[in-house]
Structure formats: structure tokens, C-alpha cells
Amino acid sequence: MLTSTCSSLFRFLSSLVIRLRLSVGRIAFTFQARFASLWRVILTFACRRGQSQIRLHANDVSVVDNKSVGERPQISEREKAEGEDRGTLAVPPVGPTRWEDKLSTYRAHASSHQFTFNPNPATPDKGSQRYKSRKVRIRHGDDISHIPVGQKKLLSALAPLPEGWRRHVHPEGNVFFYHERLRIFTESNVIHQENEILFYATKLIQQAIDHHTDGVTMDELTEIVLNMDDDDRRWYYYFVDHTNRLLFWVHPVDLREDLRMHLQGITEYDHIRYLVEARYWSHCEYYPHGRTIPTGVFEDLRGMLNYAKTDVMTAGSSTSPFTEVELVSFLDSVNSLKADMKISDHYSVWIIARLIAVFTDDQFMNFSGQPCARLNADTQLFDQQLWNRSIIFKVVNVFLLRSPNEHAVRLQRVWVDGTIILPRWKGFIDRLTLELTRYPIFSTVMLAVNISFLAVPGVITLGSPATQIEIIIYCSVVCTIGSIIFSFALSNVYSDPALANANTAADVMETLSRMKGGMACLAITHSLPIACLVWSITLFSTALAIQIFSPKERATIVTLGVECFILVLFGAMSRFVMQLFARDEDVEVVDPSAKNNPATRGQEHHV
């Protein structure tokens, strides 16, 4: 009985397994057929019609080109421009794709005008006039007083633009122009200067085409920027390679003069790439219209912000160009953009380009990718002289109760290797401003105490020479007034919002670092309010001690003496404990004006 039951169960399971295998086979065959059909459709639309022939085999797919059988055809530049994942921010090209065809239309027009051809290599921040004091002024009497009846086209009353030009308004408000066929960006007035712009553009483009043997590549996505400086009346230019995200020129480029690079110790071209790539993102920031942010770029920026935020939160001396609060705010703004949607509005392009420019420039300033990369914001990469060891500084430091050395350490933390650490600079300004608002309060109290002490009977005797106590109190009053004056003077300087800007701060610090003893003078100046206040308290305490310990009863002297001794003992103990927290107290301060010092650039950001 048991044997028959087991045999029946075995036959039932065997038939069930056979049926399952047949069902799975039919499903797999159906899925394979449908997948092959779908793959065939995808390949049909992926390859260009008439240029390649698709052959499907059982195990593989091979693409056979009409000209070279067995070789995969190269994707054309046009297909790269139209591809979603091409990773470029180029404005879509219009008209002929070959530069020779483009130039043939405008070469005759440009050659009919003769101008002095003297182009100068530049970068977006150097060639642009938008942040300079422009010579355009509003004339009185040209105001519009009313709107006509039925007027709907509220457009600019300027003369119509020449053929091929388009007018754009930057998110910041300035106007620039774009030539669709020759891919020219300019902030100069094309209505009055079109002939000169086309003359320079055709000449420069032809030079770029002629320099193809030197590695210069002019693809259909290449852009050119031409701007005239209103001061020296010279034309500045640069080409934009969107495939490699770099700028290039057809003339030799001076890194310090043309790219405004003041950092020393550059020994590798892959290091310079960060600088040129940062200027590329500045170009996209200056001219954001018509561009589309690739998904990869958006994800890279989000990764940069997340990394920088985590680094700032977990490291005590992060090299991030932003503070934690700023990074959280930027990350919220970036996350509000849809990564799965097409980001092509010029406001979003401007946001992403500016942030990436700051991060890329920060990588350049910290020697990213080099053996000597700065991983800690306090790391000094250059051998420099110690300026807090000079005899004069040591004497002044002792006279001002070691306050100059404390402020010198603060300056050293924000000015490392001739570079402003912007997050620390903002904290430095906030802390100094807070201290400068507190010192006058304490000084006012001390002034009232000193005046009140002078009113004590016996301190001042009319008609007799000034006593020792009276002279000391007068000195204390002078120190108190000095503390108030120095506090107000420094507070007036550091209340300027321009000092919160990286460029302004870098210019000021660079100027002081080039002066002999400039940084020492700045540290001493910062220490004057607190030093005068401490001297005022010290002098008042001395006068009070003389008044107390003048010939009196022995019991009074002993009691007050013991009390003073206990206070001094507790003060010494507190001083010892606080020195354990003040780790930077004994840090040696370097001189940024030493020979190998790199000066900061004149911009992040550019950050």
C-alpha cells in the first residue's frame, strides 16, 4: 500500500515538473522574441538611414558600415550634439555644420572693411565689461510719458538688430548678443560694431582652422566670445570647446596676465586644467541662454554639494569654499530642480554653472590631483618666513599683553599660502565685528569708574601737585578713550559689506602681504582696542591697590592681602586651563610676502 502511494506521488510530481518546464520554455521563447523585436526597433532608429546596415544574429548584433565592413561607424558630431547624454552645454548649432561653409558667407562682408587686427587672449571675467563701471549714462528728457491706446508690443525702441543676431538679457540684467551661424557671443553693441566684430571673428576662426596641425580642433559646437574693453579700446577673445569643457586660444597665453593666475608652484598641465575648466563654467554662467544641463552635470553638482556639506560637518578644517549653512541652502536650491526633467532655462543654467565654477576653482587653488594637494585648510604648501619672530613684533606683543600674537594667529587661519579661505574669513569678520561692538561698552563702564574714583575724597587735592594715584587714573582714562576710538575706527572699516566678498578681501590681504610688515601691522591694529581696555583695567587696579594698601591698620592689610592672593591664584589656574583650549596660542605665524608665496587670484568663486 505504501509503495503504490509513493509511486503515484512520484508520477504526479514528474508530470508537474514536465509541465512547468514546458510553460517556462514557452514564456522564455515569447520574451526572447519580443525582446529581439524591441532591440531591432531600437537599433533601426539608432543608426543613420542609408549609412549602416543592421544584421541580427542569434548570439550577437554586428553593425556593418557601407564603406568598411566589420567596423563600427563613428558617431558624427551632429549626433553627439543631438544626443541626450553627450555631456555638453553647447547652444544647438544653426545652419551649415562645416566652418568653411559658414565663413564663406561672411568672409567677403568682413574683408570689405579694414580694421587693425590686434586680438588679445582673455577669459570671461577679463574680457567682459559687465562688472566694470560702464560709460553708458541715462540722458534726461528721453523718458516715455504715456502708453498709446492699444499698444501691446512693449519692445525695445533700439534700431533693429543686423541679420543673424539675437538679443538676450542675462538673469543679472545686462544685455548680450549671439550670432547663430558663426556662434559669436559679445557684449559689445552689434548695431554700431557689427562690421568690426565680424572682421575679428572671421579672422580668428580662420586662424583656428589653419592651426589644426597644432592640435586646435574646431567642431560645430565651438563658440567664440569677442568683447571690446571700453578703456583701452582693445578686442579680447576666447574659444569654447564644449566637448572637453575647456577654453582655447590661437595665440600664446600668459597665465598671469591673460588668465589672471597668481598661484605659484604650477608644474603640471593637469593642474592648469582646473583653472581653464573653471573659466569654462564662468563662460556658461555669463552666457546661459539656449543651453541644456546634461543629467551627468546635474548629478555631479549635487554630489559636490553633499560631499562638501559632509566634509564641513565632520572635519574641523575643511577646504570647502562655503559654510555649512550656505551648503544646505545651495543643496535645497539644486534639489528643487528636477534631475529627470530637461533643465534648459537660463536661470537654472546660471545657478549650476556658477556653483561648479566655484568648486572647480577651489580645486585649482588647493592643488587637487597633485602630490602636494592641500587636504586641510590649515596646511601650508610653501616655505615662508616667520614674521612673529621679529624683535619689533615681540616687543610690541609684550607691551600689548600678547594680544597681537593672538590676532596674528587668527589672520593665519584665514590667509593660508596667500589664499583667502572664504568661510573662515566670514567667521573672522563676524567675530571681530562682535568684539568691536562689545569693547566700547566695557570701556564706557571703565571710564565711568575712573571718573568716579577721582571724585573720592583725598584722591585729588586742589592746589597741590598731582598724586601718584591721580596720575595712574589719568593714564587709565586715556587708555579707555583710546579703546573706544580704536573700536569705532575698526568697526567702521569692517562694517563695509564689500569686505565679505572674496575678491575684495583677497585684494586687501594681498596688498598688505606685499608691504613689509603689513600683516604684522594689521595684527597689531586689531589688538589695540582690547589691549587699551586691559591696560585701563590694569592701571585702575594699580591705583586701587595703592589706595588700599597705603599705611592702614595691620588687620585691614592682611585681610585684603589674603583675598587678593586667592584671586590671583584662581586667575593663574584659569589662565592655565584656558591655555589648554587655546591650541593656536603658540602657532608660528608666517609671512605671506615671502619669496615663494602664491597670491590669490582676483575673482569663486571663482570659490
Side-chain angles (χ1 to χ4, degrees), residues 388-401:
N388 63 338
R389 288 186 176 181
S390 63
I391 301 299
I392 298 178
F393 185 85
K394 287 183 177 181
V395 172
V396 176
N397 185 52
V398 172
F399 180 75
L400 296 181
L401 308 176

Side-chain angles (χ1 to χ4, degrees), residues 179-197:
H179 195 283
E180 295 179 320
R181 289 183 175 271
L182 293 181
R183 304 179 64 78
I184 307 171
F185 285 97
T186 183
E187 296 175 9
S188 301
N189 192 336
V190 298
I191 298 177
H192 305 295
Q193 297 177 296
E194 185 203 19
N195 293 330
E196 196 168 0
I197 293 173

Side-chain angles (χ1 to χ4, degrees), residues 232-252:
D232 56 16
R233 308 300 297 175
R234 299 169 64 184
W235 285 94
Y236 293 89
Y237 81 95
Y238 61 87
F239 289 92
V240 183
D241 180 359
H242 285 284
T243 303
N244 298 307
R245 295 177 186 169
L246 295 173
L247 307 183
F248 67 93
W249 302 264
V250 293
H251 296 86

Side-chain angles (χ1 to χ4, degrees), residues 37 102 264 270 272 425 433 458 491 493 497 539-540 557 602:
S37 301
K102 294 180 180 182
Q264 295 186 6
D270 63 340
I272 300 177
W425 173 258
T433 304
S491 179
V493 172
L539 292 171
F540 173 78
I557 296 176

Side-chain angles (χ1 to χ4, degrees), residues 468-542:
Q468 186 179 15
I469 298 177
E470 185 179 353
I471 295 174
I472 295 176
I473 292 297
Y474 287 155
C475 293
S476 179
V477 169
V478 172
C479 289
T480 303
I481 296 176
S483 178
I484 296 175
I485 294 175
F486 291 134
S487 297
F488 284 153
L490 289 174
S491 179
N492 184 52
V493 172
Y494 285 100
S495 62
D496 186 1
L499 285 178
N501 181 272
N503 295 335
T504 305
D507 292 339
V508 172
M509 298 295 286
E510 183 180 355
T511 302
L512 288 172
S513 65
R514 289 179 178 177
M515 297 171 54
K516 187 176 182 179
M519 298 298 291
C521 291
L522 182 61
I524 293 172
T525 303
H526 287 175
S527 66
L528 288 176
I530 181 62
C532 290
L533 179 59
V534 173
W535 267 115
S536 175
I537 297 174
T538 303
L539 292 171
F540 173 78
S541 301
T542 302

Side-chain angles (χ1 to χ4, degrees), residues 68-79:
S68 55
V69 179
E71 296 182 1
R72 187 177 180 88
Q74 297 293 327
I75 299 177
S76 67
E77 297 296 330
R78 188 71 174 183
E79 290 172 337

